[in-house]
Amino acid sequence: MMKPKNLSSPSFCAEQLKVLADKTRLSVLQILMESPKHVGEINAVLQLEQSLLSHHLKILRSAGFVEAKRDGKAVLYHFVPTVRQINTGQVIDLGCCVLSFE
């Protein structure tokens, strides 16, 4: 049986912060905090190679920050509602610490 994640444990917090310790992934999260976006919309802002953006989105999905939903032939990415947003959506509460985009 798998142990539930302790969201305030130092090891869980360190893993979450490792995922966020990349400017591209932080930029993707900022974009998705505004509203769900297709890959093309994210890439219009970031101007990355498709494969590199896909790599970063996969990491964010694996860490539980974003989810992907099929939208016809495209994929729509959105910020995961279980990651709590505070105030105007410019802050992410990870449970162990708070990340502000201000």
Side-chain angles (χ1 to χ4, degrees):
M1 186 185 290
M2 193 184 246
K3 286 173 71 176
K5 293 178 188 175
N6 181 352
L7 301 181
S8 61
S9 78
S11 61
F12 177 78
C13 190
E15 288 302 314
Q16 294 292 296
L17 291 172
K18 270 194 240 180
V19 169
L20 298 176
D22 180 275
K23 67 181 182 178
T24 301
R25 289 192 285 271
L26 281 176
S27 296
V28 169
L29 279 184
Q30 266 189 302
I31 291 166
L32 293 176
M33 285 174 77
E34 294 171 10
S35 65
K37 302 272 191 280
H38 293 98
V39 175
E41 294 173 295
I42 299 168
N43 211 17
V45 175
L46 299 179
Q47 300 291 306
L48 298 173
E49 286 190 31
Q50 179 78 30
S51 61
L52 183 56
L53 179 56
S54 293
H55 168 75
H56 286 295
L57 286 166
K58 180 180 177 183
I59 291 170
L60 289 169
R61 275 194 328 265
S62 295
F65 287 105
V66 300
E67 288 180 350
K69 182 174 153 185
R70 184 61 71 188
D71 184 26
K73 290 186 178 184
V75 177
L76 186 66
Y77 286 88
H78 65 91
F79 191 74
V80 173
T82 56
V83 177
R84 294 174 287 169
Q85 289 180 283
I86 301 172
N87 300 331
T88 62
Q90 295 301 313
V91 177
I92 302 172
D93 182 352
L94 296 173
C96 58
C97 61
V98 176
L99 178 66
S100 173
F101 286 99
E102 296 175 9

